[in-house]
């Protein structure tokens, strides 16, 4: 579940920060399912991603909240509630603060990142299992961001900007390191989404590297299909696990900025 929430948030690309799409009022809803030989398609969780506008000390910001939860039927077995928030300054379309609050059974994790784009640094602070907070300051590049901010970087890209099979990389800020996300465009594909319909999509294969720089030998791999229209919303994500696979698919949406022209009527 946590892996699929990250996969949704890691929908990323190579467009510059000015191309990010933040639209107050947009709401995206997903269902997460597990599939294996003995479990043809079992829904186990849900994810919501919502964008709003808020004022703090008279300054307006975009706020994006992503929440992943186990469905009530499975909470007796594994109770999960992960909450992520990112605050974006509209004038520069860059994140200024990231927060996470992760609760998975008896495991807890909290983190706060503060960005200083003038000095090109990020200050991270994190704690797991209620232990004392640890802190670190790391240098930034133009492509270094938290998972939620990376989620928006591809969404204003045009299909003609991609080249089939061409590899590219991005950088994801984590508490004490910056991880590498490798991805490649696989082409256009018509994808049927359960209970929603058929869509024209852009298909990508992504791999999150380990903490050892550009090593991907034991990183997470997932395939993602995004809508082939101006919204560029993730529609379906598939990630293999040791036995079977975990999948996430769009179950609803509201307040999109552009018409959903990728949907086939």
């Amino acid at each position: 579940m946590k892996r699929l929430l990250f996969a949704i948030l890691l929908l990323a690309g190579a467009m510059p920060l000015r191309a990010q799409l933040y639209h107050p009022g947009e709401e995206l809803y997903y269902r997460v399912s597990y599939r294996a030989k003995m479990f043809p398609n079992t829904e186990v969780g849900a994810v919501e991603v919502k964008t709003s506008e808020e004022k703090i000390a008279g300054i307006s910001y975009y706020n994006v909240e992503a929440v992943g939860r186990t469905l009530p039927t499975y909470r007796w077995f594994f109770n999960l509630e992960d909450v992520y928030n990112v605050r974006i300054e509209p004038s520069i379309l860059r994140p200024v603060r990231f927060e996470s609050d992760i609760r998975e059974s008896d495991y807890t994790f909290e983190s706060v990142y503060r960005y200083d784009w003038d000095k090109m640094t990020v200050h991270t602070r994190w704690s797991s299992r209620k232990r004392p907070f640890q802190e670190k300051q790391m240098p930034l590049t133009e492509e270094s961001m938290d998972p939620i901010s990376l989620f928006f970087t591809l969404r204003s890209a045009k299909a003609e900007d991609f080249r089939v099979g061409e590899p590219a990389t991005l950088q994801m800020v984590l508490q004490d390191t910056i991880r590498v996300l490798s991805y490649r465009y696989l082409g256009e594909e018509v994808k049927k989404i359960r209970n929603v319909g058929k869509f024209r999509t852009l298909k990508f294969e992504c791999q999150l590297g380990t903490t050892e720089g550009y090593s991907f030998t034991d990183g997470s791999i997932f395939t993602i299909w995004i809508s082939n229209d101006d919204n560029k919303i993730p529609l379906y994500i598939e990630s293999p696990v040791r036995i079977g696979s975990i999948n996430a698919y769009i179950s609803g949406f509201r307040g999109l900025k552009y018409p959903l022209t990728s949907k086939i009527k």
Side-chain angles (χ1 to χ4, degrees):
M1 172 69 177
K2 176 179 175 183
R3 187 174 181 181
L4 258 293
L5 177 58
F6 255 78
I8 291 171
L9 300 180
L10 281 171
L11 173 58
M15 303 313 296
L17 292 174
R18 57 180 170 78
Q20 288 180 336
L21 188 156
Y22 293 101
H23 183 56
E26 181 186 80
E27 300 178 5
L28 304 176
Y29 300 91
Y30 298 88
R31 287 286 179 153
V32 179
S33 65
Y34 173 69
R35 180 178 296 173
K37 189 174 182 180
M38 300 298 293
F39 300 91
N41 196 5
T42 305
E43 290 190 350
V44 295
V47 175
E48 302 175 1
V49 183
K50 299 180 179 181
T51 304
S52 59
E53 194 167 11
E54 62 180 3
K55 273 195 173 183
I56 301 176
I59 301 174
S60 294
Y61 297 94
Y62 295 142
N63 185 75
V64 181
E65 180 185 58
V67 181
R69 296 186 179 94
T70 311
L71 294 179
T73 309
Y74 295 96
R75 286 178 188 164
W76 66 272
F77 176 69
F78 186 72
N79 191 16
L80 176 149
E81 182 167 358
D82 293 351
V83 181
Y84 300 84
N85 277 278
V86 65
R87 187 182 303 159
I88 300 98
E89 188 174 334
S91 62
I92 60 174
L93 290 177
R94 292 180 187 267
V96 294
R97 184 180 177 89
F98 168 86
E99 300 177 7
S100 72
D101 186 0
I102 297 172
R103 302 180 184 277
E104 301 176 358
S105 294
D106 60 347
Y107 174 79
T108 62
F109 182 87
E110 299 175 73
S111 66
V112 178
Y113 307 165
R114 291 184 288 105
Y115 295 88
D116 186 334
W117 292 103
D118 291 331
K119 297 180 180 179
M120 295 300 291
T121 59
V122 60
H123 181 269
T124 61
R125 189 170 185 263
W126 72 94
S127 171
S128 63
R129 301 186 186 275
K130 304 298 183 181
R131 293 170 182 164
F133 275 88
Q134 301 180 64
E135 300 185 38
K136 188 172 183 178
Q137 184 165 294
M138 296 179 289
L140 290 172
T141 70
E142 296 288 343
E143 293 79 25
S144 304
M145 284 173 284
D146 55 83
I148 294 183
S149 300
L150 285 177
F151 169 76
F152 287 87
T153 56
L154 180 61
R155 297 186 56 193
S156 293
K158 297 179 181 179
E160 54 266 30
D161 292 335
F162 301 115
R163 300 290 179 266
V164 175
E166 187 174 68
T169 59
L170 284 168
Q171 298 175 354
M172 185 179 70
V173 177
L174 292 176
Q175 55 268 18
D176 62 346
T177 188
I178 294 180
R179 300 277 290 276
V180 175
L181 177 72
S182 173
Y183 70 95
R184 61 191 181 100
Y185 175 51
L186 301 182
E188 299 182 14
E189 183 176 303
V190 173
K191 185 73 173 174
K192 185 177 181 180
I193 308 298
R194 183 182 179 186
N195 299 326
V196 182
K198 290 184 178 180
F199 293 82
R200 286 180 287 271
T201 71
L202 306 175
K203 184 179 180 181
F204 292 84
E205 182 182 71
C206 307
Q207 187 167 10
L208 180 61
T210 67
T211 52
E212 300 301 321
Y214 283 83
S215 171
F216 297 99
T217 55
D218 60 348
S220 299
I221 301 174
F222 55 94
T223 306
I224 190 162
W225 290 258
I226 68 173
S227 64
N228 190 359
D229 55 40
D230 289 337
N231 295 291
K232 296 295 186 299
I233 60 175
L235 295 171
Y236 192 90
I237 300 160
E238 184 175 70
S239 180
V241 291
R242 185 167 297 177
I243 301 176
S245 64
I246 300 177
N247 311 279
Y249 63 90
I250 194 92
S251 59
F253 42 82
R254 297 177 185 170
L256 300 181
K257 185 172 184 179
Y258 302 105
L260 195 65
T261 57
S262 59
K263 188 172 183 180
I264 301 172
K265 296 182 180 180

